[in-house]
Amino acid sequence: MNAILRKLTATTILAGGIVAAAAGAQAEPTAEVLHYWTSGGEAKAVKALKEDFEAHGGKWVDAPVAGGGGDAQAAVLRSRVLSGNPPTAVQIKGPNIQEWAETGALANLDKVANEEGWDKVLPPLLQKIVKYDGHYVAVPVNIHRVDWIWANPKVLAKVGAGVPTSWDEFNETAEKLKAAGITPLAHGGQPWQDATIFETVVLGIGGADFFNKAFVERDVDTLKSDTMKKVFDEMRKIRGYVDPDFPGRDWNLATGMVMRGEAAMQIMGDWAKGEFLAAGKKPGVDFVCAPTPSDHGYILNSDSFAMFNVQGDDQKAGQDLLAKLILGEKFQETFNLYKGSIPARIGVPRDKFDDCAVKSMDDLKVASDNNTLVGSMAHEISTAGAIRGAILDVVTEHFNSDMSSDEAVVRLAEAVELAL
């Protein structure tokens, strides 16, 4: 596929050059931005970027694709590139950045990076994600933590419980909630949401080394291990804690169930906090946050924008301006306050961030120092493409059937081996 994309990218550049020569260069920085931030908190965050871009003289062409997790947007992006019409800037992440860079489709951002000193303000882990062959090809927007429990404290109080700190306690609390007629866990039955819960359980039961062996090294013995069977055992229990209407539900609708007291908890990344805040809910009062049970683990997700090779001075100027603004200290603060995440840039003041964000910042440092920081599989930081898809297929099939844990680990190992 890469060879095909490389040829088509060259065609795109040629076609774009002809159009640009005919139309003449335009000075106004212009950016068509393809993204999947369409829910409440996400929409406010991307609106902040749009307003900042326009305030600096840019013309923003919005191209949202609904569907959390970015799977729907990925299909649109492939279609746009294959048709010779790539967007100016695209929200992509993790190994997908490397794969698109390998095709020659991405623009080099070194000029902006050097002028703005990105090497001095970006953590090494993020530099590794947004660089290809030593050159910047994307710019990170934020750092999300995936392994969070978001809970309604008033609902938990009905059964005398707090936010669980172990998976055994999670199960005990869920059983009490069920006995009281309360849905323990708000969940949306979409593969990426199933995988989000799955990877938090993998980190919690197996630990960071086990997580990396399974999702980074794709070690077959790890995928078929007794520890992985225990992970699927826990997933079977969790399946019993969701309501009957969960299939197909969007993640933000599940967050709304916790807000309204229709469910006690949700396992979701900190973009869920953006939904609570967008609805006027106060952290520590209307909702509480706590990491999913693990030994000081931290599952990292990071949104980034990659700039595709385009023609025309207006679009190139738009890419430079957008890249510069995204890593600016002002925008990093504004955007991440809306989005629920923490800044990608080092040194942004903490005083406006809530306790959940400050805990995320502190836990990130602890996890980084103790080698318990891992990249998300479900959100395409550690694993992408066919291998991620193979894992999601097995996890979702197990979650929605009576498949045993013994069968699940065999299927998981076989699926990953076939996808390698």
Side-chain angles (χ1 to χ4, degrees), residues 256-294:
M257 292 173 64
V258 179
M259 286 186 206
R260 294 188 297 273
E262 297 169 5
M265 300 176 282
Q266 181 185 21
I267 295 174
M268 185 51 64
D270 50 21
W271 47 93
K273 187 181 69 180
E275 296 300 299
F276 283 106
L277 298 177
K281 304 298 182 183
K282 295 182 178 179
V285 178
D286 300 310
F287 68 95
V288 293
C289 64
T292 56
S294 74

Side-chain angles (χ1 to χ4, degrees), residues 240-310:
Y241 301 147
V242 304
D243 69 299
D245 298 326
F246 80 98
R249 178 187 289 139
D250 287 335
W251 67 271
N252 52 314
L253 300 182
T255 306
M257 292 173 64
V258 179
M259 286 186 206
R260 294 188 297 273
E262 297 169 5
M265 300 176 282
Q266 181 185 21
I267 295 174
M268 185 51 64
D270 50 21
W271 47 93
K273 187 181 69 180
E275 296 300 299
F276 283 106
L277 298 177
K281 304 298 182 183
K282 295 182 178 179
V285 178
D286 300 310
F287 68 95
V288 293
C289 64
T292 56
S294 74
D295 186 13
H296 301 290
Y298 189 115
I299 302 178
L300 179 144
N301 181 21
S302 177
D303 296 306
S304 303
F305 275 104
M307 310 300 170
F308 276 66
N309 280 319
V310 292

Side-chain angles (χ1 to χ4, degrees), residues 24 146 201 211 254 272 306 315 317 339:
V146 176
V201 179
F211 185 104
Q315 290 199 75
K339 189 71 163 56

Side-chain angles (χ1 to χ4, degrees), residues 344-418:
R345 178 188 177 113
I346 296 170
V348 176
R350 294 177 166 211
D351 54 305
K352 293 184 180 178
F353 287 90
D354 58 43
D355 291 344
C356 296
V358 171
K359 179 167 181 57
S360 180
M361 295 175 193
D362 291 340
D363 287 358
L364 176 64
K365 184 177 187 311
V366 171
S368 182
D369 292 344
N370 290 281
N371 295 319
T372 53
L373 172 65
V374 298
S376 171
M377 174 277 296
H379 300 275
E380 303 186 83
I381 297 298
S382 66
T383 316
I387 296 174
R388 171 182 174 267
I391 295 171
L392 265 60
D393 285 347
V394 175
V395 169
T396 290
E397 185 175 352
H398 171 268
F399 200 74
N400 291 281
S401 71
D402 59 357
M403 184 189 297
S404 70
S405 298
D406 286 344
E407 182 181 356
V409 298
V410 172
R411 295 276 298 276
L412 182 65
E414 289 175 349
V416 170
E417 282 189 299
L418 285 172

Side-chain angles (χ1 to χ4, degrees), residues 37-374:
W37 288 329
T38 56
S39 69
E42 294 174 329
K44 291 183 76 170
V46 79
K47 183 183 177 187
L49 178 57
K50 174 179 180 287
E51 291 175 347
D52 203 18
F53 186 72
E54 291 175 342
H56 285 80
K59 178 183 177 183
W60 177 285
V61 181
D62 203 34
V65 178
D71 293 335
Q73 182 208 258
V76 173
L77 176 59
R78 284 193 294 272
S79 174
R80 289 286 301 270
V81 173
L82 289 169
S83 65
N85 182 32
T88 317
V90 183
Q91 180 193 353
I92 57 175
K93 62 173 72 173
N96 286 323
I97 296 172
Q98 309 300 314
E99 291 176 3
W100 279 109
E102 189 179 356
T103 71
L106 300 187
N108 186 312
L109 300 176
D110 283 351
K111 180 176 179 293
V112 178
N114 290 333
E115 290 173 352
E116 298 297 317
W118 289 2
D119 280 349
K120 296 179 181 177
V121 300
L122 280 180
L125 177 63
L126 289 187
Q127 289 188 36
K128 184 178 178 182
I129 292 171
V130 297
K131 282 183 175 179
Y132 175 73
D133 198 22
H135 301 284
Y136 281 101
V137 294
V139 51
V141 180
N142 56 12
I143 293 174
H144 277 299
R145 183 177 196 172
V146 176
D147 50 320
W148 282 115
I149 294 175
W150 304 95
N152 185 317
K154 293 177 183 175
V155 175
L156 287 177
K158 291 180 179 178
V159 297
V163 182
T165 58
S166 70
W167 287 107
D168 285 342
E169 186 180 347
F170 180 90
N171 298 335
E172 291 169 6
T173 299
E175 292 296 338
K176 289 180 183 176
L177 290 162
K178 280 184 69 175
I182 301 169
T183 299
L185 189 68
H187 181 58
Q190 297 171 343
W192 73 269
Q193 293 190 59
D194 299 338
T196 295
I197 295 178
F198 177 71
E199 69 176 356
T200 66
V201 179
V202 169
L203 179 67
I205 291 179
D209 289 343
F210 180 84
F211 185 104
N212 286 327
K213 278 188 172 294
F215 300 140
V216 179
E217 299 177 24
R218 297 115 188 186
D219 178 70
V220 172
D221 290 339
T222 300
L223 295 170
K224 296 167 62 175
S225 66
D226 289 342
T227 300
M228 191 63 82
K229 291 179 184 176
K230 292 179 181 177
V231 171
F232 279 106
D233 288 345
E234 178 60 29
M235 290 296 291
R236 177 62 62 229
K237 291 178 182 175
I238 289 173
R239 173 64 180 82
Y241 301 147
V242 304
D243 69 299
D245 298 326
F246 80 98
R249 178 187 289 139
D250 287 335
W251 67 271
N252 52 314
L253 300 182
T255 306
M257 292 173 64
V258 179
M259 286 186 206
R260 294 188 297 273
E262 297 169 5
M265 300 176 282
Q266 181 185 21
I267 295 174
M268 185 51 64
D270 50 21
W271 47 93
K273 187 181 69 180
E275 296 300 299
F276 283 106
L277 298 177
K281 304 298 182 183
K282 295 182 178 179
V285 178
D286 300 310
F287 68 95
V288 293
C289 64
T292 56
S294 74
D295 186 13
H296 301 290
Y298 189 115
I299 302 178
L300 179 144
N301 181 21
S302 177
D303 296 306
S304 303
F305 275 104
M307 310 300 170
F308 276 66
N309 280 319
V310 292
Q311 294 296 303
D313 290 344
D314 54 348
Q315 290 199 75
K316 290 182 178 179
Q319 290 180 332
D320 288 346
L321 176 58
L322 193 60
K324 178 181 176 180
L325 292 176
I326 284 173
L327 264 188
E329 194 167 300
K330 173 179 174 293
F331 174 74
Q332 283 282 309
E333 179 183 88
T334 302
F335 179 89
N336 286 295
L337 286 171
Y338 282 135
K339 189 71 163 56
S341 44
I342 62 176
R345 178 188 177 113
I346 296 170
V348 176
R350 294 177 166 211
D351 54 305
K352 293 184 180 178
F353 287 90
D354 58 43
D355 291 344
C356 296
V358 171
K359 179 167 181 57
S360 180
M361 295 175 193
D362 291 340
D363 287 358
L364 176 64
K365 184 177 187 311
V366 171
S368 182
D369 292 344
N370 290 281
N371 295 319
T372 53
L373 172 65
V374 298

